[in-house]
Amino acid sequence: MKIAFFDAKPYDKPSFDRYGDQYGLKFKYFETKLNEDTVELAHGFDGVCVFVNDTVNAAVIDRLVDLKVRVVALRCAGFNNVDMKYAFGKIHVLRVPAYSPYAVAEHSMAMLLTSIRRIHKAYIRTKDFNFSLVGMTGFDLYGKIVGVIGTGRIGRVFIDICRGFGMKVLAYDKFPAEGLDNGDTVRYVTLDELFANSDIISLHCPLTEETYHIIGEDSLKKCKKGVVLINTSRGPLVDAEALLAGIKSRQVGAACLDVYEEESDFFFEDFSGHIVEDDVLARLISMPNVLVTSHQAFLTEEALANIAQTTVSNIVGFFEKEQCPNELCYRSGGAEDCKNGTCF
Ligand code: NAD
């Protein structure tokens, strides 16, 4: 089997080559992202392997089908970049549902601590032998209230970490997890209650029509003044312009962003010698209380190994048995009639 691997980075290759060799799977690495302009590169391949900022829309799907590509193997959990309704019945879509919830949850806490204890400022100051503490006052996490939106795999690990710091958790999920609410340190509440009472809000839900701009002008108005926002989930969960306005008005005390609405134009690439055209991103980055990382929350050795192993076993399993437990399946009838995959 030959697989065209799009948006390839140097850190992807070692683990994909290792697991690919074990199972007789050959990857051809393309640095470019998959989109309507680059889809021709998939000619002669059995499958394509894509990441979060590749585009798998109707036009790309049609061309992949013409090229006799049978499978789209996502090497990530989220699939908002794939037109799943359109893909249904035309091409198979596989994903890696979990690779290390710890990687993302720990990065969320790393960003929070860096931001509120001004570690990013201290690092630069002491490099310049500036040992002044002026402007470095932070606050304790102990006793603070953290609102967690989305209590799936990552959200639950993040809750455990927060409880270790002695924080109280207000949780919101469309499908609450059984046994998580203990009536004390972790409580499920409505979204409005979460907004009104949280000192810190962390997003761990998927990007859907319902969650698009879940943090926007209206929701920010409902938040405590000085709320700290963490988004390690998907950029469009947050209306970036509303966030910038919230930072300027001091309604938002700090923002920790591993993802950004328009990240596909920038993230994962080196723009250090360029003029960044996105004024909202540039202004956010210029703020002393905004911390941006470039969709790096997943990037640990453990996660990379798990991603490669699961992606390879998804592809091999699919071509051997014509089915895969990690196949995404869009069925208007719901999950009842789906035998092979993960319905949504
Ligand atoms: P998960 O599927 O285990 O959990 C998602 C949770 O969100 C579920 O409990 C689900 O019920 C809930 N949810 C669904 N719709 C909701 C809604 N409308 N409102 C509130 N909650 C809703 O997923 P996960 O593995 O915990 O991942 C969470 C998200 O993290 C992913 O969707 C992905 O976007 C993001 N992610 C980011 C990175 C990164 O590197 N930054 C890496 C992996 C995943």
Side-chain angles (χ1 to χ4, degrees):
M1 266 102 50
K2 284 164 64 193
I3 307 294
F5 191 108
F6 286 88
D7 202 8
K9 295 283 181 272
Y11 48 77
D12 290 319
K13 294 178 191 174
S15 43
F16 273 89
D17 280 343
R18 175 150 50 99
Y19 290 108
D21 286 350
Q22 273 178 26
Y23 291 92
L25 204 59
K26 282 272 161 266
F27 290 104
K28 169 83 179 169
Y29 297 103
F30 295 107
E31 284 182 16
T32 182
K33 293 184 179 62
L34 177 63
N35 56 40
E36 288 161 48
D37 299 328
T38 61
V39 64
E40 296 307 320
L41 291 168
H43 181 77
F45 289 91
D46 304 295
V48 292
C49 182
V50 301
F51 198 48
V52 293
N53 290 324
D54 292 291
T55 304
V56 190
N57 59 15
V60 170
I61 291 166
D62 279 342
R63 192 61 195 133
L64 288 173
V65 172
D66 288 347
L67 293 171
K68 306 214 170 357
V69 171
R70 296 194 55 217
V71 70
V72 175
L74 289 157
R75 50 183 192 278
C76 53
F79 48 90
N80 51 285
N81 53 334
V82 182
D83 186 338
M84 282 306 306
K85 271 190 203 176
Y86 195 78
F88 182 62
K90 299 187 181 73
I91 197 160
H92 296 270
V93 183
L94 322 177
R95 71 160 177 163
V96 181
Y99 36 88
S100 172
Y102 310 103
V104 183
E106 288 171 14
H107 190 81
S108 307
M109 181 50 85
M111 292 191 88
L112 175 61
L113 284 170
T114 302
S115 164
I116 65 158
R117 300 309 303 269
R118 321 279 189 254
I119 306 293
H120 54 313
K121 296 276 163 204
Y123 177 79
I124 291 168
R125 272 195 197 181
T126 55
K127 279 267 171 205
D128 200 25
F129 301 101
N130 174 355
F131 301 110
S132 161
L133 290 183
V134 175
M136 302 298 247
T137 311
F139 62 81
D140 290 4
L141 286 180
Y142 178 82
K144 293 291 182 304
I145 297 177
V146 59
V148 178
I149 301 180
T151 55
R153 282 170 282 247
I154 296 169
R156 288 203 299 272
V157 175
F158 185 70
I159 287 173
D160 282 346
I161 294 172
C162 290
R163 289 177 65 194
F165 277 79
M167 300 166 86
K168 298 236 180 205
V169 179
L170 296 180
Y172 172 78
D173 197 299
K174 194 174 171 190
F175 308 100
E178 257 179 57
L180 186 64
D181 186 327
N182 60 17
D184 179 22
T185 50
V186 184
R187 285 193 301 119
Y188 274 112
V189 293
T190 65
L191 209 43
D192 278 353
E193 281 178 82
L194 184 149
F195 288 141
N197 295 297
S198 300
D199 302 298
I200 295 144
I201 295 177
S202 196
L203 304 177
H204 299 290
C205 56
L207 174 62
T208 63
E209 279 171 21
E210 268 174 294
T211 60
Y212 177 78
H213 284 187
I214 195 166
I215 301 294
E217 195 184 340
D218 288 345
S219 45
L220 285 174
K221 271 189 212 147
K222 296 175 184 169
C223 290
K224 275 188 175 178
K225 195 165 175 66
V227 65
V228 177
L229 178 73
I230 309 166
N231 187 9
T232 56
S233 203
R234 283 291 181 268
L237 295 177
V238 177
D239 178 342
E241 291 195 22
L243 174 65
L244 182 57
I247 298 267
K248 284 183 182 169
S249 70
R250 314 314 197 249
Q251 175 67 5
V252 177
C256 307
L257 308 174
D258 185 52
V259 287
Y260 171 67
E261 266 201 289
E262 305 300 332
E263 70 177 47
S264 59
D265 294 339
F266 300 101
F267 281 20
F268 306 135
E269 308 301 334
D270 180 359
F271 276 85
S272 54
H274 298 253
I275 309 287
V276 169
E277 304 276 352
D278 185 325
D279 288 351
V280 176
L281 179 61
R283 191 78 176 97
L284 280 170
I285 288 176
S286 77
M287 295 288 181
N289 53 352
V290 175
L291 196 63
V292 175
T293 53
S294 177
H295 207 134
Q296 110 180 37
F298 75 99
L299 197 62
T300 65
E301 285 174 16
E302 292 81 356
L304 288 175
N306 290 341
I307 287 170
Q309 194 173 22
T310 306
T311 305
V312 167
S313 91
N314 281 349
I315 297 169
V316 171
F318 172 79
F319 280 105
E320 277 176 0
K321 301 183 206 128
E322 287 289 315
Q323 66 178 57
C324 164
N326 293 328
E327 174 157 9
L328 284 165
C329 172
Y330 176 86
R331 296 218 176 191
S332 51
E336 301 76 47
D337 61 344
C338 180
K339 303 279 183 293
N340 303 333
T342 313
C343 279
F344 60 92

